Amino acid sequence: MSDPAKVRRHAERVRELVASVVRSQIKDPRLGMITITDARITADLRDATVFYTVLGDAVAQADTAAALESAKGLLRSTVGKALGLRHSPTLTFVLDDVQDQVKHIDDLLAAARNADAEVQRLAAQAKYAGEAQPYRVDDETDEADETDEADEATDVEGTPRGGETR
């Protein structure tokens, strides 16, 4: 097994190398406006996954995927030579659909804001189902408080506190 820091360094280097080769050496007309966003490599340094985004519609994305697939051998040999590893990692290209996920999350947040606004509008118009004070308030509590105060003034035996018995 390799050191995780070494794996991260190699993954970053793979990303940089693939971006450089795509920009300068691949002259395929199917290659669209591509951005290499990330690269991940396994701990044994044998398989690398390269994530990319393409500006354009589904046709541009499909064309770019085909161009990357046809240039995979050139990219793999360039990455293998530059990394100096015993085995060149196999490259797998994955379309990074971050923009679609961002749009989906924004739509969900907008729906949540609308639902919250509707709940607040309904809460502002709400009225109590019964009385405003649903708990029974008795006048007996006032009388009970007066008798408790009188009981506190005498001891347990019935003699007044602080006073001496004869």
Side-chain angles (χ1 to χ4, degrees), residues 135-143:
Y135 301 106
R136 192 181 296 177
V137 178
D138 292 335
D139 292 334
E140 296 173 10
T141 57
D142 295 334
E143 295 171 11

